[in-house]
Amino acid sequence: MLPMHGYQGFRTAPPPSGWVQLRDTWVLWWSGRQIAQVSPAKERGVRVHLDARKMWQTKDVWAASVDQGKRYAERWCAARLYPEMRLRAAVARMVDDSPREPLPPLPRLPPTPEQLQQARRLAEAGAKELERVKEALAPIRPPAAKKPRAKDPQKTRVRAALRDLRRGV
């Protein structure tokens, strides 16, 4: 099923406004919809496709350059979208691409039990991994200094006797 006319998809970013360049084509956006398109043509100059009225009332014209096509599109669309305003003010209002205030966040559904379980498991695994990394990055401690032990005189006698036996004394 095809989406309805003017469908904007998921709301992930504010809709564009003003002139937006897509490769070698310029597109004029107004109120979240594309109302004019200026693209290079093989035959002559540039093609200007205008769609500021109802969807079956579009207009295609030719212009000598991209700038001329953009100016024509701005004036033609502004005259139809803001008929009560003076042309210069209407064009300025229509091509104003200053950032708008962000859209309010969409309401969210509560997380499912599976999502909660997955989040808990990820948090536990992350904590274990963090401990492992901290342990690996901890500075290596030098071995503790050994205290000198007192030598047992009995051991020295036994060692001397074993040495003498090996020599064959």
Side-chain angles (χ1 to χ4, degrees), residues 78-141:
R80 279 145 188 85
L81 297 172
Y82 300 108
E84 71 284 351
M85 294 178 71
R86 298 181 63 92
L87 186 60
R88 188 170 292 190
V91 168
R93 183 173 175 185
M94 187 180 63
V95 298
D96 178 30
D97 58 354
S98 60
R100 310 282 191 266
E101 61 184 51
L103 298 170
L106 293 172
R108 295 182 181 251
L109 294 173
T112 63
E114 291 84 10
Q115 290 172 329
L116 291 172
Q117 182 183 26
Q118 183 182 22
R120 184 177 43 79
R121 286 181 178 172
L122 283 172
E124 291 171 0
K128 288 178 186 175
E129 192 67 19
L130 186 62
E131 287 301 318
R132 192 180 70 76
V133 168
K134 281 184 180 178
E135 183 181 309
L137 293 176
I140 299 173
R141 297 180 185 154

Side-chain angles (χ1 to χ4, degrees), residues 18-152:
W19 286 104
V20 177
Q21 185 175 12
L22 305 169
R23 294 189 190 95
D24 55 350
T25 301
W26 285 89
V27 178
L28 179 60
W29 289 84
W30 172 81
S31 188
R33 67 186 187 113
Q34 180 179 325
I35 57 174
Q37 179 177 346
V38 179
S39 55
K42 293 179 184 175
E43 304 87 36
R44 54 183 176 184
V46 294
R47 176 181 169 263
V48 182
H49 178 76
L50 304 163
D51 188 10
R53 298 183 286 184
K54 295 177 182 154
M55 78 174 151
W56 61 87
Q57 295 175 329
T58 61
K59 183 175 182 179
D60 287 309
V61 294
W62 300 96
S65 67
V66 172
D67 289 335
Q68 182 187 15
K70 286 169 67 174
R71 281 194 307 272
Y72 181 82
E74 289 170 358
R75 287 171 176 77
W76 188 88
C77 294
R80 279 145 188 85
L81 297 172
Y82 300 108
E84 71 284 351
M85 294 178 71
R86 298 181 63 92
L87 186 60
R88 188 170 292 190
V91 168
R93 183 173 175 185
M94 187 180 63
V95 298
D96 178 30
D97 58 354
S98 60
R100 310 282 191 266
E101 61 184 51
L103 298 170
L106 293 172
R108 295 182 181 251
L109 294 173
T112 63
E114 291 84 10
Q115 290 172 329
L116 291 172
Q117 182 183 26
Q118 183 182 22
R120 184 177 43 79
R121 286 181 178 172
L122 283 172
E124 291 171 0
K128 288 178 186 175
E129 192 67 19
L130 186 62
E131 287 301 318
R132 192 180 70 76
V133 168
K134 281 184 180 178
E135 183 181 309
L137 293 176
I140 299 173
R141 297 180 185 154
K146 295 182 180 179
K147 295 180 181 176
R149 295 189 178 184
K151 294 189 178 182
D152 186 9

